[in-house]
């Protein structure tokens, strides 16, 4: 059985998706979860893109043990130098270098001849090889390139030392049958291709990324590049969870091995959602809220009689906990810790202590504490950004016959500072009051609020995205009071912004 390697680029290509930026601590947390998920390769970032990207790649290289850690690099010496410096501390480092090969890219972007592109590719693979044994070479915009030209460049870079050849559908242009035939034609014209892993990286512009990835596996690909929840540039990338579960569910026709622990899929999806604040649509395959929901009477009857009538996979297979037992104010520390383990969270003693204290406070406010509440509490432990500002108190005056006003007081350097503002509703007034205090000069890019669990006493989770100098800072806040949740989310985003500017 051929083994398929999963190359996860959530932290590189995925993070380039608008609104999906992450700070260094969030990236480390996500990388550790990807390791628990069992991905083979983590593309940690594009090291030369910024100082922040370099630090993140380097930190991830030091934080995980099992996956290969890769950094992207253009076919330029300075990029490859930077990529190596970032990943050299990894137990299994990889340099991933690329150059465009389509006529349109070579003519208008690179302004180089095909011969010059081949020379650059070969020279940079050789250059990277002096640092690192594992070199991946990508032909950007491969599916709009001449397969004969690709055969020539791939043969040359393999002889130069490349260990992986990536044939990406960079702009989501191809179709499954076309891709299958295209890959086979490249293989026919690359005599040494059997010596390396064949990788594909499919974008979802036409909604075909997963289908194209499956077609590529059938054509001989041994590495699939994808992202959690399918996030990424434009319409996103091939969704990791969909590829993995397609292979696991259809073993009758997809006879391939894969090293993913599928019971970590749902947790991985939720961690990414909590970090980025970008929800998946309810009908999203595998991880959507409705993926295992049955409303039709006919469907419900069938599932009650025999689950396989309408479920081709089980919720448990992706780690979706179907245990409906809830905790409350009388639940003890042992029950809380047991639930954390059931949900798959590994916290140190101090994190358990802090989380349990928050759980008890929450249990005093609402009758039942659900798994979603616990996950929301634990997700706050992910953020290690120092709290420069903390909420001290707020007072809101609002109604449909008066102008909403908010008085907000924050703690800053052991001093309480406050201000008052009016606004178009209580949330707007509160945000304006906070901005008067902190004076970040950031703009509110997005704000949303949703219920963490069911019930009239459910916690509200607010997501605030602030934009400054082209960067997005995502803040989260939860509370049974939605105004408080919103204020906490705004302050959380401000703290991330301040931390980024100071570092």
């Amino acid at each position: 059985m051929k083994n398929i390697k999963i190359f996860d680029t959530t932290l590189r290509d995925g993070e380039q998706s608008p609104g999906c930026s992450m700070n260094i601590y969030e990236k480390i947390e996500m990388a550790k979860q990807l390791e628990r998920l069992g991905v083979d390769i983590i593309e940690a970032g594009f090291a030369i893109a910024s100082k922040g990207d370099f630090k993140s790649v380097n930190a991830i290289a030091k934080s995980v043990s099992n996956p290969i850690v890769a950094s992207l690099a253009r076919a330029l010496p300075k990029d490859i130098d930077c990529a190596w410096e970032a990943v050299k501390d990894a137990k299994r480092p990889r340099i991933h270098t690329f150059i465009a090969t389509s006529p349109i890219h070579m003519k208008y972007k690179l302004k180089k001849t095909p011969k010059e592109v081949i020379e650059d590719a070969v020279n940079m693979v050789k250059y990277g090889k002096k640092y690192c044994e594992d070199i991946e070479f990508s032909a950007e915009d491969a599916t709009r390139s001449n397969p004969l030209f690709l055969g020539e460049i791939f043969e040359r870079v393999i002889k130069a030392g490349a260990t992986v050849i990536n044939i990406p559908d960079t702009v989501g242009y191809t179709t499954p049958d076309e891709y299958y035939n295209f890959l086979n034609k490249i293989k026919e014209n690359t005599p040494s291709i059997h010596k390396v892993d064949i990788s594909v990286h499919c974008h979802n512009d036409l909604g075909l990324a997963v289908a194209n990835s499956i077609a590529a596996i059938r054509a001989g690909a041994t590495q699939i590049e994808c992202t959690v929840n399918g996030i990424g540039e434009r319409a996103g990338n091939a969704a990791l969870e969909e590829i993995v579960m397609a292979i696991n569910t259809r073993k009758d026709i997809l006879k391939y091995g894969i090293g993913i622990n599928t019971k970590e899929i749902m947790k991985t999806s939720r961690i990414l959602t909590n970090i980025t604040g970008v929800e998946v649509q309810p009908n999203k395959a595998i991880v959507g809220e409705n993926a295992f929901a049955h409303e039709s009477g006919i469907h419900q009857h069938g599932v009650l009689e025999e689950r396989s009538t309408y479920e081709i996979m089980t919720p448990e297979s992706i780690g979706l906990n179907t245990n409906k037992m809830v905790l409350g104010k009388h639940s003890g520390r042992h029950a809380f810790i047991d639930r954390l383990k059931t949900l798959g969270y590994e916290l140190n003693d101090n994190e358990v202590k802090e989380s349990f204290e928050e759980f008890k406070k929450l249990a005093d406010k609402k009758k039942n504490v659900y798994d979603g509440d616990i996950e929301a509490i634990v997700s706050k432990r992910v953020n290690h950004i120092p709290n420069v500002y903390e909420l001290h108190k707020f007072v809101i005056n609002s109604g449909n016959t008066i102008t909403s006003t908010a008085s907000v007081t924050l703690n800053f350097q052991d001093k309480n500072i406050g201000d008052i503002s009016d606004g178009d509703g209580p949330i707007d007034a509160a945000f304006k009051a906070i901005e008067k205090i902190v004076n970040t000069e950031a703009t509110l890019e997005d704000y949303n609020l949703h219920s963490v669990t069911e019930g009239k006493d459910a916690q509200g989770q607010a997501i605030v995205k602030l934009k400054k100098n082209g960067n997005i800072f995502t803040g989260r806040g939860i509370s049974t009071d939605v105004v408080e949740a919103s204020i906490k989310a705004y302050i959380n985003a401000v703290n991330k912004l301040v931390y980024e500017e100071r570092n």
Side-chain angles (χ1 to χ4, degrees), residues 417-437:
I417 51 177
D419 216 317
I420 300 172
S421 182
D422 57 21
D424 185 13
I427 305 299
D428 184 49
F431 288 176
K432 286 178 177 176
I434 296 169
E435 186 56 34
K436 279 186 176 181
I437 299 168

Side-chain angles (χ1 to χ4, degrees), residues 245 261-265 292 313-320:
M245 293 311 294
N261 178 3
T262 63
K263 291 186 177 181
E264 291 286 330
I265 285 177
F292 294 93
M313 68 196 95
T314 66
E316 293 84 357
S317 68
I318 63 163
L320 185 60

Side-chain angles (χ1 to χ4, degrees), residues 68-82:
I68 293 168
V69 178
S71 174
L72 191 65
R74 293 168 298 182
L76 298 169
K78 63 179 182 179
D79 278 40
I80 292 172
D81 290 340
C82 189

Side-chain angles (χ1 to χ4, degrees), residues 251-270:
K251 288 291 186 187
D252 54 330
I253 59 170
L254 300 173
K255 303 180 188 296
Y256 309 110
I258 199 161
I260 295 295
N261 178 3
T262 63
K263 291 186 177 181
E264 291 286 330
I265 285 177
M266 183 56 76
K267 180 185 169 188
T268 308
S269 172
R270 286 174 173 169

Side-chain angles (χ1 to χ4, degrees), residues 21 435 438-445 465-474 493-494 496-498 500-502:
S21 60
E435 186 56 34
V438 299
N439 193 30
T440 63
E441 298 181 355
T443 57
L444 180 63
E445 185 75 5
K465 295 187 177 183
L466 299 180
K467 185 174 184 179
K468 186 175 182 181
N469 299 328
N471 296 317
I472 299 291
F473 303 91
T474 303
V494 167
K496 290 181 179 180
L497 187 158
V498 172
E500 190 75 17
E501 288 185 334
R502 292 182 178 180

Side-chain angles (χ1 to χ4, degrees), residues 240-352:
L240 180 151
E241 62 278 0
E242 295 178 24
I243 293 167
V244 168
M245 293 311 294
I247 293 172
N248 274 23
T249 304
R250 295 305 310 273
K251 288 291 186 187
D252 54 330
I253 59 170
L254 300 173
K255 303 180 188 296
Y256 309 110
I258 199 161
I260 295 295
N261 178 3
T262 63
K263 291 186 177 181
E264 291 286 330
I265 285 177
M266 183 56 76
K267 180 185 169 188
T268 308
S269 172
R270 286 174 173 169
I271 286 176
L272 181 63
T273 295
N274 283 333
I275 288 174
T276 62
V278 177
E279 299 282 338
V280 298
Q281 71 267 29
N283 63 326
K284 166 77 170 66
I286 316 299
V287 295
E289 184 180 346
N290 296 341
F292 294 93
H294 305 278
E295 185 169 336
S296 162
I298 295 173
H299 285 212
Q300 290 173 346
H301 175 72
V303 170
L304 289 171
E305 292 295 325
E306 169 53 51
R307 290 175 69 172
S308 62
T309 53
Y310 287 101
E311 286 185 0
I312 61 172
M313 68 196 95
T314 66
E316 293 84 357
S317 68
I318 63 163
L320 185 60
N321 182 26
T322 56
N323 183 347
K324 296 299 182 182
M325 187 176 72
V326 295
L327 301 179
K329 67 180 181 180
H330 298 299
S331 300
R333 183 184 176 90
H334 290 296
F336 180 74
I337 293 173
D338 182 68
R339 181 53 57 87
L340 287 177
K341 290 180 180 177
T342 300
L343 293 173
Y345 289 98
E346 299 174 9
L347 276 63
N348 60 39
D349 291 342
N350 188 56
E351 288 171 333
V352 169

Side-chain angles (χ1 to χ4, degrees), residues 58-332:
N58 187 244
I60 291 166
K62 296 173 181 176
S63 299
V64 297
S65 301
N66 296 322
I68 293 168
V69 178
S71 174
L72 191 65
R74 293 168 298 182
L76 298 169
K78 63 179 182 179
D79 278 40
I80 292 172
D81 290 340
C82 189
W84 173 246
E85 283 300 312
V87 300
K88 67 180 182 181
D89 294 319
K91 286 185 169 58
R92 302 169 68 196
R94 173 183 291 182
I95 294 172
H96 180 193
T97 188
F98 72 96
I99 194 167
T101 55
S102 65
I104 192 170
H105 275 243
M106 289 189 288
K107 180 178 179 180
Y108 293 105
K109 187 177 77 171
L110 299 181
K111 295 180 171 38
K112 290 187 176 184
T113 65
K115 183 179 179 181
E116 289 173 322
V117 168
I118 291 176
E119 289 176 355
D120 286 349
V122 170
N123 289 337
M124 290 305 99
V125 168
K126 288 180 178 178
Y127 186 81
K129 202 73 175 177
K130 74 178 184 178
Y131 289 129
C132 184
E133 177 59 31
D134 192 359
I135 304 290
E136 177 170 343
F137 173 76
S138 286
E140 186 186 6
D141 201 22
T143 52
R144 294 194 295 175
S145 303
N146 185 320
L148 298 179
F149 174 62
L150 290 176
E152 182 180 358
I153 194 170
F154 288 154
E155 184 67 15
R156 294 279 303 276
V157 296
I158 291 169
K159 289 181 177 178
T163 51
V164 182
I165 295 298
N166 184 33
I167 310 169
D169 185 25
T170 305
V171 293
Y173 178 72
T174 196
T175 62
D177 288 344
E178 180 184 41
Y179 204 29
Y180 177 87
N181 294 327
F182 184 75
L183 294 175
N184 279 322
K185 191 164 187 178
I186 290 171
K187 287 165 63 180
E188 290 170 5
N189 289 280
T190 314
S192 301
I193 203 163
H194 64 282
K195 298 178 181 178
V196 299
D197 274 319
I198 300 174
S199 182
V200 293
H201 178 123
C202 296
H203 277 263
N204 205 39
D205 298 70
L206 295 176
L208 296 171
V210 170
N212 286 334
S213 298
I214 298 296
I217 293 172
R218 292 181 55 247
T222 52
Q223 176 179 290
I224 304 297
E225 306 192 5
C226 47
T227 62
V228 176
N229 294 345
I231 67 170
E233 294 256 29
R234 304 183 312 280
N237 289 264
L240 180 151
E241 62 278 0
E242 295 178 24
I243 293 167
V244 168
M245 293 311 294
I247 293 172
N248 274 23
T249 304
R250 295 305 310 273
K251 288 291 186 187
D252 54 330
I253 59 170
L254 300 173
K255 303 180 188 296
Y256 309 110
I258 199 161
I260 295 295
N261 178 3
T262 63
K263 291 186 177 181
E264 291 286 330
I265 285 177
M266 183 56 76
K267 180 185 169 188
T268 308
S269 172
R270 286 174 173 169
I271 286 176
L272 181 63
T273 295
N274 283 333
I275 288 174
T276 62
V278 177
E279 299 282 338
V280 298
Q281 71 267 29
N283 63 326
K284 166 77 170 66
I286 316 299
V287 295
E289 184 180 346
N290 296 341
F292 294 93
H294 305 278
E295 185 169 336
S296 162
I298 295 173
H299 285 212
Q300 290 173 346
H301 175 72
V303 170
L304 289 171
E305 292 295 325
E306 169 53 51
R307 290 175 69 172
S308 62
T309 53
Y310 287 101
E311 286 185 0
I312 61 172
M313 68 196 95
T314 66
E316 293 84 357
S317 68
I318 63 163
L320 185 60
N321 182 26
T322 56
N323 183 347
K324 296 299 182 182
M325 187 176 72
V326 295
L327 301 179
K329 67 180 181 180
H330 298 299
S331 300

